[in-house]
Amino acid sequence: MTGQIPPEPDAGSDLNETKKYLDYLKNSGRPIEIRTLIGYWGNKGRGKVSVATITSDLARMGLRTDPPFDSGPLDSHVTLQGLNGELSPGADDQPEDHLLTLSRIPSASFALRTRDDESDNSGFVRRDSSVADAVTVMLRNDFSQLPVIESEARREIVGVFTWESYAQARLRGDNPILVGSATIPASAVDLHSDLFASVSPIADHGYVLVTYRGQLSGIVTASDLTREFEKLTLPFLAVGRCEQELKRVARVKLSDALAKSKKNSVEELMFGELQQLFKNHWTALGWSLSLTKFDGWLNTTRKLRNSIAHFDNQDQDLSADLEVVHRLTRWLRMIAHEPDQKADDDTAEPIGQTTTAKQ
């Protein structure tokens, strides 16, 4: 390279143009924000297809990111490395062919993102750290355990320091001064391990240590897992409630149309079929609403349903679309119920892309 900086690529750039710029970043050691990197492929988030495509394209360029771009916040930074970079060999850099891996959980990769920030390495301790330091960090952050590493230079896992391991050392009559004297062994799983496969060890121990390429990546606790499952399941429940209310209203208001349909029951209707049913028999509903606007309301719900069904919304803020679904559910619940049925008084509370490979 003659010193001239290659033009920054965009979604319309081909593989060679993108490679020139990413090689420049690799050779100069300049970090890049994850959001910016995936934007070169026209993405705003890291869905299943986009992660697989970008990973494959980077491999074709002889590159990978450090840390992996499919973990951590979108505004965090990564550096470009050669596929045979300086890190020790470990698990395969290719993520599994699904989105539900531990990399979804921020705490699973926190240690990778404090690599060059010595002031904020409060989530783990070295073997030769003082017990006083470890206890203070745990009290300050309300931690129940801390991963223990060999050294900052090589963050290989030694074990884990916990309140229980410290108490057991004291009960034995020891007065541990260094963390290594009260460290217990701990198994670890790879950052790209299946999320569901990690449920059992987390349930057994309350946590699991996470590694990437043989070094500490992070830790996932039972609380972290609970929050992640809440993020995954609450949208399903919200859309499910809405779909059931639509079917109930269809039974009440569109019984004649349903009787003429080829389906044996409204329960057999897919969401798109249900949407079409309302659209085709709009006048029978007798509502003083705009068909176009109401159909758009249903369309938002259908698109959200399809998105969450594929777990393809890791970085997507669903709060606005979910609130639209909640409003629809609340409105539908005001529609007259069938005889001998009572309305459910529970009200839903608000809850909180396909990539093209470069040629």
Side-chain angles (χ1 to χ4, degrees):
M1 188 176 296
T2 62
Q4 183 178 2
I5 300 176
E8 187 173 11
D10 57 28
S13 303
D14 62 27
L15 190 68
N16 289 331
E17 292 170 330
T18 303
K19 174 175 168 53
K20 288 178 182 179
Y21 187 76
L22 296 184
D23 280 339
Y24 158 72
L25 294 181
K26 176 178 76 73
N27 295 332
S28 62
R30 293 182 56 184
I32 182 172
E33 190 179 72
I34 293 176
R35 191 190 314 275
T36 301
L37 177 67
I38 66 176
Y40 297 159
W41 277 261
N43 292 287
K44 296 182 179 179
R46 292 166 294 183
K48 174 181 177 180
V49 176
S50 63
V51 168
T53 301
I54 295 172
T55 301
S56 175
D57 280 356
L58 287 174
R60 290 167 64 191
M61 300 178 199
L63 299 170
R64 61 175 175 82
T65 65
D66 180 34
F69 74 90
D70 65 329
S71 65
L74 281 174
D75 58 1
S76 59
H77 289 75
V78 297
T79 60
L80 276 301
Q81 305 278 338
L83 283 179
N84 297 316
E86 295 76 13
L87 290 178
S88 61
D92 191 349
D93 288 337
Q94 293 280 350
E96 296 288 338
D97 188 26
H98 53 77
L99 196 62
L100 292 177
T101 67
L102 286 175
S103 63
R104 293 177 61 97
I105 303 177
S107 62
S109 61
F110 83 90
L112 299 178
R113 301 177 193 284
T114 59
R115 185 179 306 278
D116 300 317
D117 185 3
E118 302 293 336
S119 64
D120 192 36
N121 291 347
S122 58
F124 54 87
V125 287
R126 301 186 311 274
R127 183 204 295 266
D128 60 358
S129 297
S130 70
V131 167
D133 283 348
V135 168
T136 304
V137 168
M138 290 168 70
L139 286 172
R140 176 182 175 181
N141 296 282
D142 194 27
F143 292 158
S144 297
Q145 59 279 314
L146 285 172
V148 180
I149 61 172
E150 186 65 48
S151 67
E152 286 290 346
R154 300 294 298 171
R155 295 185 178 180
E156 297 171 344
I157 293 177
V158 175
V160 63
F161 177 89
T162 71
W163 289 122
E164 183 179 0
S165 67
Y166 178 52
Q168 287 176 347
R170 296 298 298 267
L171 288 172
R172 292 194 300 267
D174 299 336
N175 183 27
I177 303 299
L178 300 180
V179 166
S181 302
T183 293
I184 57 176
S187 58
V189 297
D190 183 71
L191 178 63
H192 292 116
S193 296
D194 182 83
L195 181 63
F196 294 109
S198 302
V199 171
S200 181
I202 293 175
D204 291 341
H205 304 288
Y207 63 89
V208 68
L209 301 186
V210 185
T211 59
Y212 176 68
R213 296 179 66 84
Q215 298 188 42
L216 176 67
S217 173
I219 182 172
V220 174
T221 67
S223 296
D224 297 323
L225 195 62
T226 299
R227 283 191 292 270
E228 185 63 27
F229 280 141
E230 285 179 348
K231 286 169 56 181
L232 289 169
T233 58
L234 290 179
F236 274 107
L237 294 175
V239 173
R241 289 193 207 104
C242 186
E243 187 168 357
Q244 287 306 309
E245 284 300 312
L246 281 168
K247 290 180 178 180
R248 181 191 64 78
V249 172
R251 285 194 298 267
V252 173
K253 295 287 189 178
L254 302 175
S255 56
D256 291 342
L258 285 169
K260 297 176 183 178
S261 73
K262 297 180 180 179
K263 300 289 185 179
N264 295 322
S265 143
V266 69
E267 299 302 327
E268 295 184 8
L269 296 179
M270 302 294 288
F271 195 96
E273 296 173 322
L274 197 59
Q275 181 180 357
Q276 194 63 40
L277 178 70
F278 276 80
K279 189 173 182 179
N280 292 343
H281 302 280
W282 182 252
T283 55
L285 294 167
W287 294 342
S288 300
L289 298 175
S290 164
L291 168 58
T292 302
K293 298 297 184 183
F294 188 82
D295 191 59
W297 205 353
L298 293 183
N299 212 40
T300 297
T301 306
R302 180 182 59 81
K303 288 180 178 180
L304 178 62
R305 182 186 186 277
N306 292 340
S307 175
I308 62 178
H310 296 92
F311 300 105
D312 206 19
N313 56 339
Q314 179 179 0
D315 303 304
Q316 184 180 355
D317 182 2
L318 300 178
S319 56
D321 285 345
L322 280 172
E323 180 54 31
V324 170
V325 174
H326 291 315
R327 291 194 194 105
L328 178 57
T329 302
R330 288 193 289 264
W331 186 81
L332 289 168
R333 282 177 173 173
M334 294 189 293
I335 306 299
H337 280 61
E338 295 170 303
D340 302 324
Q341 280 193 337
K342 294 182 179 180
D344 185 353
D345 291 330
D346 293 338
T347 56
E349 295 295 329
I351 309 171
Q353 53 200 281
T354 302
T355 305
T356 302
K358 291 182 178 290
Q359 302 299 317

